[in-house]
Amino acid sequence: RRFGKHGITALVLGNKDNTVNSSDLPLTYTGVSGRFTYDYQKKYVAEFSFGYNGSNRYPEGTRLLFTPSAGLAWNISEESFMKRYSWINSLKLYGSVGKTGWDNAGYFVYHQYYYDGSGYTIGTSASGNTSMNELVLANPDIDYEKATKMNFGLETSVLNNKLSVKAEYFSMKFYEA
């Protein structure tokens, strides 16, 4: 919506997905995400977005992850001093920074699992000894893979939009917390 010289957009989404496959444990994803954008005269733009998502792939206490991000942009070509450069169709400077999380821990790796096989003897049965093997060693401290991402750029279009140039700097740093 526009209110005179001010523009506002907002969006909020929610999701829940529960997958059950045969005798496997269910896999559940839940979350909410949103975005809020404000602009003044379409020249100056600020945006905030977030995700608050979770998965039962992780132990209690670490299932949910909040991932915020923010960005700013300046549409320089909308400034009055740029009108004399008619050959420049658009010129924008922008930047953003945000946190991300990747959910690929594996299938309930915080639980220790065993299966029948020729491993450790744990007792006897009518037919003899019963043995079990460990699957993957459990990791009770498993957590999302997290990163901080930054992106800064300049884009322009000139000569009746016949030539466009975009230059960006992108950085991604992984972290634990």
Side-chain angles (χ1 to χ4, degrees), residues 4 15 26 37 42 46 52 59 68 77 82 86 88 92 94-95 97-98 102 128 135 140 156:
N15 71 299
T37 306
K42 297 184 181 179
Y52 190 59
S77 54
M82 291 295 294
S86 60
I88 299 176
K92 179 167 54 170
Y94 56 91
V97 63
W102 189 44
L135 288 174
T156 187

Side-chain angles (χ1 to χ4, degrees), residues 13 25 31-33 48 50 63 71 95 100 106 115 118 126 131-132 151 164 166 169:
L13 302 168
L25 296 171
V32 62
S33 59
F48 172 76
F50 72 93
R63 287 190 177 166
T100 63
Y115 65 96
S118 58
S131 62
M132 300 294 277
N151 188 51
S164 296
K166 188 177 200 177
Y169 169 78

Side-chain angles (χ1 to χ4, degrees), residues 77-173:
S77 54
E78 295 295 321
E79 297 287 355
S80 58
F81 65 83
M82 291 295 294
K83 300 304 177 200
R84 63 181 163 208
Y85 304 106
S86 60
W87 55 277
I88 299 176
N89 303 107
S90 67
L91 179 62
K92 179 167 54 170
L93 182 66
Y94 56 91
S96 64
V97 63
K99 305 281 184 181
T100 63
W102 189 44
D103 172 18
N104 196 20
Y107 197 67
F108 298 93
V109 297
Y110 61 94
H111 285 298
Q112 187 63 57
Y113 293 101
Y114 300 92
Y115 65 96
D116 292 342
S118 58
Y120 304 105
T121 301
I122 60 171
T124 59
S125 65
S127 63
N129 291 336
T130 301
S131 62
M132 300 294 277
N133 284 339
E134 284 182 317
L135 288 174
V136 177
L137 188 60
N139 181 357
D141 297 321
I142 193 75
D143 200 356
Y144 289 86
E145 183 177 298
K146 298 176 208 137
T148 299
K149 296 183 180 183
M150 291 188 297
N151 188 51
F152 301 98
L154 177 72
E155 64 181 50
T156 187
S157 177
V158 296
L159 306 172
N160 290 324
N161 296 316
K162 294 192 190 298
L163 177 65
S164 296
V165 177
K166 188 177 200 177
E168 290 187 304
Y169 169 78
F170 179 78
S171 170
M172 179 168 58
K173 295 185 180 177

Side-chain angles (χ1 to χ4, degrees), residues 10-92:
L11 173 70
V12 177
L13 302 168
N15 71 299
K16 182 167 185 165
D17 183 19
N18 190 38
T19 303
V20 179
N21 186 7
S22 184
S23 63
D24 288 345
L25 296 171
L27 182 55
T28 304
Y29 295 103
T30 58
V32 62
S33 59
R35 181 181 71 206
F36 176 79
T37 306
Y38 168 79
D39 77 77
Y40 179 73
Q41 293 184 324
K42 297 184 181 179
K43 292 182 195 179
Y44 316 106
V45 181
E47 183 170 282
F48 172 76
S49 61
F50 72 93
Y52 190 59
N53 298 294
S55 168
N56 67 340
R57 288 184 178 208
Y58 300 99
E60 291 289 337
T62 62
R63 287 190 177 166
L64 295 170
L65 181 65
F66 181 63
T67 53
S69 65
L72 296 172
W74 179 25
N75 288 314
I76 303 167
S77 54
E78 295 295 321
E79 297 287 355
S80 58
F81 65 83
M82 291 295 294
K83 300 304 177 200
R84 63 181 163 208
Y85 304 106
S86 60
W87 55 277
I88 299 176
N89 303 107
S90 67
L91 179 62
K92 179 167 54 170

